[in-house]
Amino acid sequence: ILRIVAWMLHFAHKTKTNIFNSNFLQPQELENALLRIVLNIQQQYFQEDILRVIKKKLRRLSRVLVE
């Protein structure tokens, strides 16, 4: 799955930038694909926790701005 996502991102980047300099995946592209997969899974399974943390930070920020 990692290589499939990496190739999809590689192709998307090549079509957006019109740069066709490499037909091979670079290590950084594999790392970026892994991070995208992990982020997607975290957002899917920890959505409530993420929202709770964001709301808590916003409340703290609003208190600081009011004071």
Side-chain angles (χ1 to χ4, degrees):
I1 293 176
L2 177 62
R3 289 192 176 274
I4 293 169
V5 172
W7 276 113
M8 290 169 47
L9 294 172
H10 179 85
F11 178 76
H13 178 73
K14 283 172 58 171
T15 56
K16 285 181 184 176
T17 60
N18 290 329
I19 298 174
F20 300 99
N21 59 355
S22 175
N23 289 327
F24 302 100
L25 287 175
Q26 301 300 314
Q28 185 64 41
E29 291 176 307
L30 290 168
E31 186 175 332
N32 288 341
L34 178 61
L35 291 175
R36 291 261 185 125
I37 292 169
V38 170
L39 180 63
N40 185 282
I41 291 170
Q42 286 176 342
Q43 288 175 340
Q44 187 176 5
Y45 287 98
F46 300 110
Q47 185 175 14
E48 291 177 11
D49 297 326
I50 293 169
L51 290 174
R52 216 174 299 127
V53 169
I54 291 171
K55 286 180 183 178
K56 188 174 182 179
K57 285 184 179 184
L58 287 175
R59 273 190 251 128
R60 284 186 189 162
L61 180 60
S62 66
R63 287 183 195 150
V64 170
L65 292 175
V66 170
E67 294 175 356

